Amino acid sequence: MSAVTENDLKELKDLIINNHRALEKGQADLKEQLTAIDKRLAIVETRLEDWKPAIDKIPDLAEKVGELKNWRQFVIITITASISGFIGWFLRGGNLKP
């Protein structure tokens, strides 16, 4: 073989080896990042497990708030009716007769 061909082959071989090393380094970096993500995911899952009892109570609390809202409406309607009845009684002159 000629010297030019041998030099070209050596350059190609070096290029292939360098690319292989770069790929291996990239894969190692990806593995490190995946490990870090797995650790963070484990932390998030742990927190969610800690919060699960509170999260499970949300529908019950929403129902109770809805019930309180109904009672609040009932009280407001009752108070409004009482006030309007009192105003009507007062406008009629305060008599108990219709």
Side-chain angles (χ1 to χ4, degrees):
M1 279 192 195
S2 68
V4 175
T5 308
E6 288 180 13
N7 286 339
D8 290 341
L9 289 175
K10 184 170 179 0
E11 285 180 26
L12 284 174
K13 183 179 177 182
D14 291 342
L15 182 63
I16 291 171
I17 291 172
N18 289 337
N19 284 338
H20 183 69
R21 288 181 185 151
L23 286 173
E24 285 179 344
K25 185 180 181 303
Q27 286 178 344
D29 291 343
L30 284 175
K31 285 180 183 178
E32 288 177 16
Q33 290 176 358
L34 285 175
T35 303
I37 290 171
D38 286 342
K39 288 178 183 177
R40 289 186 207 144
L41 185 59
I43 292 170
V44 169
E45 287 176 350
T46 303
R47 286 185 182 169
L48 283 176
E49 288 298 322
D50 292 343
W51 295 347
K52 189 171 180 4
I55 292 171
D56 290 341
K57 292 180 184 178
I58 289 174
D60 295 334
L61 293 173
E63 185 178 340
K64 288 181 181 180
V65 168
E67 291 172 2
L68 290 175
K69 184 178 177 184
N70 292 341
W71 276 105
R72 191 180 331 149
Q73 286 177 334
F74 175 75
V75 169
I76 290 172
I77 290 170
T78 305
I79 291 172
T80 304
S82 300
I83 291 173
S84 64
F86 177 74
I87 290 173
W89 175 77
F90 183 73
L91 290 175
R92 285 192 311 257
N95 293 330
L96 294 176
K97 300 176 189 174

